[in-house]
Amino acid sequence: MKTAIITGITGQDGSYLAEFLLNKGYFVVGLKRRSSTICTDRIDSFYDHPNFKLRYYNLNDSGCFYRLLLEYKPQEVYNLAAQSHVKVSFETPEETVNAVAMGPLRQLEAIRSVDPKIKFYQASSSEMFGVNPDAPYNEKSRLMPASPYACAKVFAHNLVNNYRESYGLHASSGILFNHESPRRGETFVTRKITIAAAKIKLGLQDKLYLGNLDAKRDWGFAGDYVEAMWLMLQQKRPDDYVISTGETYSVNDFLEAVFDSANLSIEKHVEIDPSLFRPQEVPYLLGDCTKAKKKLGWEPKIKFKELAAMMYSYDIKRIRELAFEV
Ligand code: NAP
Ligand code: F7E
């Protein structure tokens, strides 16, 4: 039985990847940082699975990671943990950069010392392309990061490449474009919109405040994207891969898709709050995942409209049940 360690297990992607690997017969060690509230909602469905073990780990704790490698002897490590909110990274830059850049450095150092055969996945991001005007972006496009978060992801991305070349590690980076789901964090724009629409529809909220509606993103489904992570570590050679849908839509498009299907008026319920704008914005992201299609045989299954509908129907059902105990 293969063993995989997943950092960031309580996050959106960690929960989908764990389910995917458990279904493939892996033993999964999920790593969670300690918090004063338990925060295991996304992993409660498999918490008691006999092939799942939850352990504590923080990205700043090198010794802990060494001990976990020695104890579990994994074949694969997926580094998904991060302070992943771009706007928050402007507010807490030092904490963000320490976790996002130094976390993978500490892990790669541990891997090369304990067992250089362990395969490593790094969660790189389309935010690394930042303000590069030449979209669509592929693995060779210039990285022009526009936030502390993206700068730190560029550091980690380059480091993975450096450890691959210098020490022969099987270390791969998935350059994932935005991916969403009913498990998306509630302060990311898609989920903020689907939750607000559900609450407005049920008479529990009146206004939704948003920032820049013009930004465009290449939005896919997280459940599809975790398969690509796994496929990268099954290849003979490590590499970098763009994972995207190849379609881009504005925040306003997402808002309209959700509000139209809920039969709600944007004019009546949505207001712009300037405090939600970022010091620097990434205006346009569009991925070209030709390499992943050819080499990994990976394809996105769920696209924009279906994704928006899936998220809204999940939230309206959940909030109705919570509010009215039906
Ligand atoms: P997420 O929902 O924000 O989950 C992040 C996870 O990291 C959470 O489990 C969080 O724990 C954990 N974490 C944060 N700081 C930590 C620390 N110092 N030590 C240990 N754990 C820590 O993010 P996601 O959407 O699943 O994304 C997964 C990864 O892909 C991240 O690295 C993100 O930057 C990257 N990425 C995401 C997207 C996307 O569109 N979702 C696109 C490209 C790249 P808590 O639950 O305690 O906060
Ligand atoms: O913003 C605009 C905002 O926070 C999307 C992370 O997973 O994907 C994510 O980063 C757009 C931006 O995601 C609000 O200005 C408008 O243009 O949902 P978001 P993100 O910044 O694209 C990348 C690939 C990652 O790697 C990250 O980890 O929406 N926007 N109004 C808003 N955004 C938020 N959050 N809240 C608003 O009210």
Side-chain angles (χ1 to χ4, degrees):
M1 183 187 283
K2 274 191 185 174
T3 297
I5 286 184
I6 303 175
T7 74
I9 192 72
T10 56
Q12 170 188 252
D13 292 6
S15 65
Y16 280 110
L17 179 63
E19 284 172 357
F20 179 86
L21 295 178
L22 287 169
N23 281 335
K24 288 219 165 283
Y26 277 67
F27 186 80
V28 175
V29 183
L31 305 187
K32 174 197 185 315
R33 63 175 166 176
R34 195 265 165 186
S35 51
S36 65
T37 51
I38 188 75
C39 297
T40 55
D41 294 9
R42 292 186 181 112
I43 61 171
D44 283 345
S45 63
F46 55 83
Y47 189 89
D48 291 328
H49 193 291
N51 291 343
F52 180 74
K53 184 77 189 164
L54 188 64
R55 295 291 299 267
Y56 282 120
Y57 163 67
N58 193 303
L59 285 164
N60 60 24
D61 197 333
S62 305
C64 172
F65 198 74
Y66 272 83
R67 287 195 303 280
L68 289 163
L69 292 186
L70 289 167
E71 183 176 347
Y72 289 103
K73 302 181 175 43
Q75 283 76 39
E76 297 171 10
V77 167
Y78 296 84
N79 178 39
L80 308 184
Q83 190 303 92
S84 74
H85 201 287
V86 174
K87 183 163 188 292
V88 172
S89 81
F90 287 99
E91 286 150 37
T92 63
E94 194 172 332
E95 191 225 336
T96 302
V97 174
N98 192 356
V100 173
M102 295 302 289
L105 170 65
R106 296 176 183 116
Q107 293 165 18
L108 287 165
E109 272 297 291
I111 285 174
R112 92 180 170 94
S113 307
V114 172
D115 179 3
K117 291 192 298 308
I118 296 171
K119 295 178 179 174
F120 181 78
Y121 173 84
Q122 166 61 14
S124 285
S125 165
S126 54
E127 280 294 300
M128 301 189 305
F129 299 116
V131 289
N132 178 341
D134 300 322
Y137 309 111
N138 63 29
E139 295 75 9
K140 294 195 181 343
S141 298
R142 189 168 161 214
L143 305 179
M144 296 178 66
S147 64
Y149 167 80
C151 291
K153 283 286 184 189
V154 170
F155 174 92
H157 185 75
N158 288 332
L159 194 78
V160 167
N161 194 280
N162 174 244
Y163 271 56
R164 187 194 296 159
E165 297 302 324
S166 306
Y167 307 118
L169 296 192
H170 194 297
S172 294
S173 292
I175 308 173
L176 271 52
F177 281 65
N178 296 53
H179 44 283
E180 321 291 312
S181 72
R183 298 184 202 170
R184 184 54 143 155
E186 297 184 7
T187 60
F188 296 96
V189 77
T190 53
R191 192 79 198 291
K192 186 171 165 183
I193 290 170
T194 58
I195 291 173
K199 287 189 173 167
I200 293 168
K201 189 75 189 167
L202 296 169
L204 301 168
Q205 181 174 329
D206 185 37
K207 295 281 181 207
L208 164 62
Y209 295 94
L210 291 171
N212 179 13
L213 300 186
D214 297 328
K216 289 190 151 188
R217 292 290 183 270
D218 180 330
W219 273 302
F221 172 52
D224 288 346
Y225 285 30
V226 297
E227 183 190 11
M229 298 175 186
W230 175 77
L231 283 168
M232 286 176 217
L233 297 205
Q234 311 317 306
Q235 304 307 301
K236 196 162 178 215
R237 291 182 212 295
D239 211 338
D240 301 332
Y241 295 92
V242 160
I243 300 298
S244 62
T245 67
E247 294 177 5
T248 191
Y249 294 90
S250 67
V251 174
N252 198 53
D253 292 333
F254 192 90
L255 181 65
E256 282 180 358
V258 174
F259 271 56
D260 283 355
S261 74
N263 201 19
L264 290 172
S265 156
I266 292 177
E267 289 66 37
K268 191 170 164 208
H269 295 291
V270 179
E271 285 186 18
I272 301 301
D273 176 352
S275 75
L276 295 169
F277 282 69
R278 296 161 186 200
Q280 191 179 9
E281 177 63 281
V282 171
Y284 185 91
L285 288 176
L286 174 64
D288 169 6
C289 68
T290 306
K291 180 174 166 183
K293 283 183 177 165
K294 276 194 188 146
K295 294 204 167 176
L296 303 178
W298 178 86
E299 291 265 3
K301 295 184 189 78
I302 292 179
K303 299 263 180 104
F304 183 78
K305 282 244 157 71
E306 203 183 334
L307 180 64
M310 175 208 288
M311 292 173 69
Y312 176 67
S313 31
Y314 172 82
D315 277 322
I316 189 118
K317 182 168 180 291
R318 182 183 63 94
I319 293 165
R320 185 182 284 124
E321 281 168 7
L322 275 177
F324 307 113
E325 291 176 16
V326 288

mmCIF file with all atom_site columns, all heavy atoms in Angstrom, residues 12 71 105 128 143 145 162 193 229:
data_model
loop_
_atom_site.group_PDB
_atom_site.id
_atom_site.type_symbol
_atom_site.label_atom_id
_atom_site.label_alt_id
_atom_site.label_comp_id
_atom_site.label_asym_id
_atom_site.label_entity_id
_atom_site.label_seq_id
_atom_site.pdbx_PDB_ins_code
_atom_site.Cartn_x
_atom_site.Cartn_y
_atom_site.Cartn_z
_atom_site.occupancy
_atom_site.B_iso_or_equiv
_atom_site.pdbx_formal_charge
_atom_site.auth_seq_id
_atom_site.auth_comp_id
_atom_site.auth_asym_id
_atom_site.auth_atom_id
_atom_site.pdbx_PDB_model_num
ATOM 1  N N   . GLN A 1 12  ? -9.587  23.264 1.080   1.00 0.00 ? 12  GLN A N   1
ATOM 2  C CA  . GLN A 1 12  ? -10.431 22.759 -0.029  1.00 0.00 ? 12  GLN A CA  1
ATOM 3  C C   . GLN A 1 12  ? -9.744  21.595 -0.761  1.00 0.00 ? 12  GLN A C   1
ATOM 4  O O   . GLN A 1 12  ? -10.296 20.496 -0.885  1.00 0.00 ? 12  GLN A O   1
ATOM 5  C CB  . GLN A 1 12  ? -10.708 23.890 -1.029  1.00 0.00 ? 12  GLN A CB  1
ATOM 6  C CG  . GLN A 1 12  ? -11.370 23.382 -2.313  1.00 0.00 ? 12  GLN A CG  1
ATOM 7  C CD  . GLN A 1 12  ? -11.490 24.442 -3.386  1.00 0.00 ? 12  GLN A CD  1
ATOM 8  O OE1 . GLN A 1 12  ? -12.587 24.916 -3.651  1.00 0.00 ? 12  GLN A OE1 1
ATOM 9  N NE2 . GLN A 1 12  ? -10.384 24.811 -4.020  1.00 0.00 ? 12  GLN A NE2 1
ATOM 10 N N   . GLU A 1 71  ? 8.657   8.528  10.393  1.00 0.00 ? 71  GLU A N   1
ATOM 11 C CA  . GLU A 1 71  ? 7.627   7.658  10.977  1.00 0.00 ? 71  GLU A CA  1
ATOM 12 C C   . GLU A 1 71  ? 6.778   6.981  9.900   1.00 0.00 ? 71  GLU A C   1
ATOM 13 O O   . GLU A 1 71  ? 6.524   5.775  9.976   1.00 0.00 ? 71  GLU A O   1
ATOM 14 C CB  . GLU A 1 71  ? 6.731   8.500  11.894  1.00 0.00 ? 71  GLU A CB  1
ATOM 15 C CG  . GLU A 1 71  ? 5.677   7.681  12.619  1.00 0.00 ? 71  GLU A CG  1
ATOM 16 C CD  . GLU A 1 71  ? 4.862   8.516  13.611  1.00 0.00 ? 71  GLU A CD  1
ATOM 17 O OE1 . GLU A 1 71  ? 5.259   9.664  13.931  1.00 0.00 ? 71  GLU A OE1 1
ATOM 18 O OE2 . GLU A 1 71  ? 3.812   8.003  14.055  1.00 0.00 ? 71  GLU A OE2 1
ATOM 19 N N   . LEU A 1 105 ? 10.609  24.950 1.200   1.00 0.00 ? 105 LEU A N   1
ATOM 20 C CA  . LEU A 1 105 ? 12.075  24.812 1.338   1.00 0.00 ? 105 LEU A CA  1
ATOM 21 C C   . LEU A 1 105 ? 12.399  23.831 2.457   1.00 0.00 ? 105 LEU A C   1
ATOM 22 O O   . LEU A 1 105 ? 13.213  22.905 2.299   1.00 0.00 ? 105 LEU A O   1
ATOM 23 C CB  . LEU A 1 105 ? 12.717  26.177 1.634   1.00 0.00 ? 105 LEU A CB  1
ATOM 24 C CG  . LEU A 1 105 ? 14.197  26.136 2.036   1.00 0.00 ? 105 LEU A CG  1
ATOM 25 C CD1 . LEU A 1 105 ? 15.069  25.637 0.891   1.00 0.00 ? 105 LEU A CD1 1
ATOM 26 C CD2 . LEU A 1 105 ? 14.691  27.505 2.480   1.00 0.00 ? 105 LEU A CD2 1
ATOM 27 N N   . MET A 1 128 ? 1.173   33.553 -10.105 1.00 0.00 ? 128 MET A N   1
ATOM 28 C CA  . MET A 1 128 ? 2.582   33.829 -10.414 1.00 0.00 ? 128 MET A CA  1
ATOM 29 C C   . MET A 1 128 ? 2.710   34.592 -11.735 1.00 0.00 ? 128 MET A C   1
ATOM 30 O O   . MET A 1 128 ? 3.676   35.309 -11.939 1.00 0.00 ? 128 MET A O   1
ATOM 31 C CB  . MET A 1 128 ? 3.386   32.525 -10.513 1.00 0.00 ? 128 MET A CB  1
ATOM 32 C CG  . MET A 1 128 ? 3.357   31.689 -9.244  1.00 0.00 ? 128 MET A CG  1
ATOM 33 S SD  . MET A 1 128 ? 4.510   30.314 -9.286  1.00 0.00 ? 128 MET A SD  1
ATOM 34 C CE  . MET A 1 128 ? 4.059   29.467 -10.770 1.00 0.00 ? 128 MET A CE  1
ATOM 35 N N   . LEU A 1 143 ? 6.918   34.975 -15.380 1.00 0.00 ? 143 LEU A N   1
ATOM 36 C CA  . LEU A 1 143 ? 6.262   35.154 -14.079 1.00 0.00 ? 143 LEU A CA  1
ATOM 37 C C   . LEU A 1 143 ? 6.417   36.609 -13.641 1.00 0.00 ? 143 LEU A C   1
ATOM 38 O O   . LEU A 1 143 ? 7.540   37.105 -13.521 1.00 0.00 ? 143 LEU A O   1
ATOM 39 C CB  . LEU A 1 143 ? 6.870   34.203 -13.041 1.00 0.00 ? 143 LEU A CB  1
ATOM 40 C CG  . LEU A 1 143 ? 6.864   32.713 -13.440 1.00 0.00 ? 143 LEU A CG  1
ATOM 41 C CD1 . LEU A 1 143 ? 7.503   31.853 -12.347 1.00 0.00 ? 143 LEU A CD1 1
ATOM 42 C CD2 . LEU A 1 143 ? 5.441   32.222 -13.736 1.00 0.00 ? 143 LEU A CD2 1
ATOM 43 N N   . PRO A 1 145 ? 4.763   38.331 -10.664 1.00 0.00 ? 145 PRO A N   1
ATOM 44 C CA  . PRO A 1 145 ? 3.851   38.292 -9.512  1.00 0.00 ? 145 PRO A CA  1
ATOM 45 C C   . PRO A 1 145 ? 3.471   39.679 -9.014  1.00 0.00 ? 145 PRO A C   1
ATOM 46 O O   . PRO A 1 145 ? 4.262   40.608 -9.108  1.00 0.00 ? 145 PRO A O   1
ATOM 47 C CB  . PRO A 1 145 ? 4.676   37.541 -8.459  1.00 0.00 ? 145 PRO A CB  1
ATOM 48 C CG  . PRO A 1 145 ? 6.102   37.752 -8.852  1.00 0.00 ? 145 PRO A CG  1
ATOM 49 C CD  . PRO A 1 145 ? 6.090   37.794 -10.355 1.00 0.00 ? 145 PRO A CD  1
ATOM 50 N N   . ASN A 1 162 ? 14.942  24.027 -8.853  1.00 0.00 ? 162 ASN A N   1
ATOM 51 C CA  . ASN A 1 162 ? 16.344  23.976 -8.440  1.00 0.00 ? 162 ASN A CA  1
ATOM 52 C C   . ASN A 1 162 ? 16.682  22.651 -7.746  1.00 0.00 ? 162 ASN A C   1
ATOM 53 O O   . ASN A 1 162 ? 17.724  22.041 -8.008  1.00 0.00 ? 162 ASN A O   1
ATOM 54 C CB  . ASN A 1 162 ? 16.621  25.172 -7.514  1.00 0.00 ? 162 ASN A CB  1
ATOM 55 C CG  . ASN A 1 162 ? 18.000  25.127 -6.916  1.00 0.00 ? 162 ASN A CG  1
ATOM 56 O OD1 . ASN A 1 162 ? 18.160  25.007 -5.706  1.00 0.00 ? 162 ASN A OD1 1
ATOM 57 N ND2 . ASN A 1 162 ? 19.014  25.207 -7.764  1.00 0.00 ? 162 ASN A ND2 1
ATOM 58 N N   . ILE A 1 193 ? -20.037 34.937 -3.167  1.00 0.00 ? 193 ILE A N   1
ATOM 59 C CA  . ILE A 1 193 ? -21.224 35.239 -3.978  1.00 0.00 ? 193 ILE A CA  1
ATOM 60 C C   . ILE A 1 193 ? -22.301 34.167 -3.804  1.00 0.00 ? 193 ILE A C   1
ATOM 61 O O   . ILE A 1 193 ? -23.482 34.491 -3.608  1.00 0.00 ? 193 ILE A O   1
ATOM 62 C CB  . ILE A 1 193 ? -20.824 35.394 -5.473  1.00 0.00 ? 193 ILE A CB  1
ATOM 63 C CG1 . ILE A 1 193 ? -20.010 36.670 -5.672  1.00 0.00 ? 193 ILE A CG1 1
ATOM 64 C CG2 . ILE A 1 193 ? -22.062 35.385 -6.370  1.00 0.00 ? 193 ILE A CG2 1
ATOM 65 C CD1 . ILE A 1 193 ? -19.352 36.811 -7.049  1.00 0.00 ? 193 ILE A CD1 1
ATOM 66 N N   . MET A 1 229 ? -2.917  16.612 -9.903  1.00 0.00 ? 229 MET A N   1
ATOM 67 C CA  . MET A 1 229 ? -1.795  16.566 -8.934  1.00 0.00 ? 229 MET A CA  1
ATOM 68 C C   . MET A 1 229 ? -1.238  15.153 -8.863  1.00 0.00 ? 229 MET A C   1
ATOM 69 O O   . MET A 1 229 ? -0.038  14.922 -8.909  1.00 0.00 ? 229 MET A O   1
ATOM 70 C CB  . MET A 1 229 ? -2.279  16.968 -7.533  1.00 0.00 ? 229 MET A CB  1
ATOM 71 C CG  . MET A 1 229 ? -2.826  18.365 -7.412  1.00 0.00 ? 229 MET A CG  1
ATOM 72 S SD  . MET A 1 229 ? -3.484  18.618 -5.739  1.00 0.00 ? 229 MET A SD  1
ATOM 73 C CE  . MET A 1 229 ? -4.203  20.246 -5.913  1.00 0.00 ? 229 MET A CE  1
#
